[in-house]
Amino acid sequence: MKHLFALLSLVVILSSCGSLTPFTEDLYTDLDLHENTVKKVQFYLSKDLVLFKELGENEASVENGRIRLKEGRRVQEIIIKRNTPGVVVFMPKEDRFAVCFDDDDDKFLMFGPNKKYNSNYTLLGKEWNRQYGTVTYGGEVYQTSSRNALASLLVNVNKMRRTSVKRSTSAGRKVYTSN
């Protein structure tokens, strides 16, 4: 009986924390978000992302990644783990977000609505083929697995709704003249 009570308590605690929901084009529209308010939303990454690029002979130092040997070549990898928090640093278009998961605002990835994936905001790349996609991160070009094309942004909708902006529209005021 004690174990059942403990299990029930754990379920209640976890359900009260709120769960992460995919950020979609409909959610963006329904909440009537603008660039200033989007920058205040805490986003999370839906899955692990691994960005990689082949290093040349003179590229030996790596700051935020690691160097691996892959088929005899030196490869730099940058790993961004699932549920890593990120923020929008700018919006180049109305429905495109530059999301930074790092302390350096120049290290961002682009996300936008994907009509083929319920309009979830997914990772955008310059080009995708069956194996890899090409993305820009920190001003440099990296590759990522094509599986990451469906990496999407998540939000805690309960927290987002609590921090929403209250707006009102004035009806106007007319001058009244006495006759």
Side-chain angles (χ1 to χ4, degrees), residues 19-81:
S19 60
L20 298 177
T21 304
F23 188 79
T24 64
E25 191 171 35
D26 289 340
L27 189 58
Y28 177 65
T29 304
D30 290 348
L31 294 174
D32 193 28
L33 297 175
H34 301 283
E35 186 167 1
N36 291 337
T37 52
V38 167
K39 287 182 175 182
K40 295 176 185 175
V41 174
Q42 183 65 71
F43 290 97
Y44 300 90
L45 191 59
S46 69
K47 61 191 295 184
D48 290 355
L49 280 181
V50 178
L51 310 177
F52 59 92
K53 71 174 186 166
E54 190 171 335
L55 295 175
E57 291 298 317
N58 297 329
E59 296 177 283
S61 67
V62 176
E63 295 174 22
N64 294 329
R66 61 184 186 189
I67 297 176
R68 289 184 50 199
L69 284 177
K70 188 175 185 179
E71 298 174 11
R73 297 175 296 175
R74 293 180 337 151
V75 175
Q76 177 186 1
E77 284 186 343
I78 296 174
I79 300 167
I80 305 170
K81 293 282 192 183

Side-chain angles (χ1 to χ4, degrees), residues 69-111:
L69 284 177
K70 188 175 185 179
E71 298 174 11
R73 297 175 296 175
R74 293 180 337 151
V75 175
Q76 177 186 1
E77 284 186 343
I78 296 174
I79 300 167
I80 305 170
K81 293 282 192 183
R82 176 179 182 236
N83 290 333
T84 298
V87 295
V88 172
V89 287
F90 69 92
M91 292 173 58
K93 292 182 180 178
E94 178 70 23
D95 63 347
R96 299 287 188 266
F97 296 169
V99 180
C100 182
F101 299 97
D102 195 281
D103 288 337
D104 183 351
D105 284 355
D106 291 332
K107 294 182 177 178
F108 59 85
L109 294 168
M110 296 301 298
F111 290 83

